[in-house]
Each structure stands twice: as C-alpha cells, then as structure tokens.
Amino acid sequence: MSTPGPKPRGRVLLLFFVTLLLLTAGGATAGWLYGQRVSDDRAAAAGGGSGSGESQEQEQEPEQPVRESCPAATEASAEATGSPGGLVEILFIRTDDDRQVWICRDTAGTLFYQGYVGPADGPFEEGKNALFLTTVEETGGGYLATNRTDEGTTTYSVTPYRLTQTTNGNESTFPVAERRPN
C-alpha cells in the first residue's frame, strides 16, 4: 500500500534530465576530441606531420603535373613569332588516322596550336604535313584554333576526346586514340 499524497516525481525527472544532459555533453566532447586525434594522426601519416594532437597548418604548393616539352619545330615557330619560348605541352592528341595536335603554352602564357599528319617521329613540313597557329583560345573543356587564309577560315576544336575541323561550314570530326595528359 502506498502512502496518500503527491509523489516526488518532478524531482526524479529533473535529476534524470540533468544527468542525461551531462552525459550527452561529455560524450559529445569525448567524440570531438577523438575525431581531432584521428584527423591529426592521418595528417601525420600522410604528410609527415607531428601527430602530437595539435593540428599544424603547413603551406605546401600544389604539385604541378610534369609537362612534356612541345616539339622542337613548334618551339622554333613560336620563337619566330616573338614568343619567349619555354613551350610546354598542355594537351596532345592523336587520332586513329595519325592526325596529331599539340596545344602548347609558352612562359608568357600564350597558347599555340601545332598540327601534324604523319608518323610519330616524322619531319614537320609547314604547309605540307604540319600547321602552326598562334590564334588559339581556351574554351570550356578544350581549345579552339583558327586559321584564316584567302580560301576561307578553318577552325580546329581540340578536346581530349575529339578533333573537329570546320572549313567554310563543312565539319569533320576525328575521335582521339591517344592523349596526354591521360
């Protein structure tokens, strides 16, 4: 039999909620500290840091991909137009029918187009099997080179996946068999 009168449930519930709040705060703090420790340990393993529990910000320059040099004939043609030289390959593609294209950038940031049709190490003969252009612009996902002559205008749209040549409105597309960078 219970005693008549009000039961002290309010105090018990208050004590229960305060205890629950303290345990939650303690668990959250312990979880956050453990997460920081794991993060520091991973950073130390990946970058050789101290792993002492204190995060250290290290300023590292992002690694630039190693760039191929552009063909010597392209370097010479660029320098003949006033380029400071130092051309590096930004994109190289080769189509199934041995059309090869280099998009190169000099040390001043100017883009160049070098087209070549023939075997991999064959000689470049400008106007016969090679075409060097200085009118190159970067587009979303590729490059556009323009060649204006007395016969009309030809544009070369170069992406890592295809070469599209448009001459006076007639378009030809060539799928890429090889590219750098991959």
Side-chain angles (χ1 to χ4, degrees):
M1 229 165 141
S2 65
T3 57
K7 308 287 186 229
R9 288 189 183 179
R11 268 193 247 160
V12 172
L13 283 176
L14 179 64
L15 184 59
F16 172 76
F17 284 120
V18 168
T19 304
L20 183 63
L21 179 68
L22 291 173
L23 287 173
T24 302
T29 302
W32 181 80
L33 290 172
Y34 178 73
Q36 288 295 332
R37 173 84 184 228
V38 168
S39 176
D40 289 346
D41 289 347
R42 286 183 182 165
S50 66
S52 65
E54 294 181 21
S55 66
Q56 294 179 341
E57 290 188 29
Q58 298 177 3
E59 288 191 33
Q60 295 178 351
E61 291 187 28
E63 288 187 32
Q64 295 293 325
V66 177
R67 299 280 190 187
E68 299 280 332
S69 295
C70 288
T74 309
E75 182 86 31
S77 295
E79 287 176 356
T81 66
S83 167
L87 270 65
V88 292
E89 179 182 289
I90 301 301
L91 176 64
F92 166 80
I93 62 168
R94 183 184 60 77
T95 65
D96 290 328
D97 61 348
D98 279 333
R99 294 171 192 265
Q100 298 171 60
V101 173
W102 289 262
I103 301 294
C104 302
R105 179 174 285 139
D106 69 8
T107 56
T110 304
L111 292 171
F112 300 95
Y113 169 99
Q114 177 68 65
Y116 168 72
V117 179
D121 291 324
F124 287 34
E125 296 179 38
E126 187 68 27
K128 291 184 181 180
N129 68 354
L131 177 65
F132 175 80
L133 298 172
T134 60
T135 51
V136 182
E137 58 188 82
E138 198 164 352
T139 62
Y143 301 87
L144 185 67
T146 305
N147 185 23
R148 289 183 178 84
T149 64
D150 293 337
E151 289 84 38
T153 300
T154 301
T155 60
Y156 301 90
S157 174
V158 185
T159 73
Y161 308 103
R162 77 182 125 274
L163 167 64
T164 304
Q165 177 181 333
T166 307
T167 304
N168 297 329
N170 298 320
E171 187 175 286
S172 301
T173 300
F174 308 92
V176 170
E178 176 186 353
R179 69 178 160 266
R180 288 189 304 261
N182 288 333

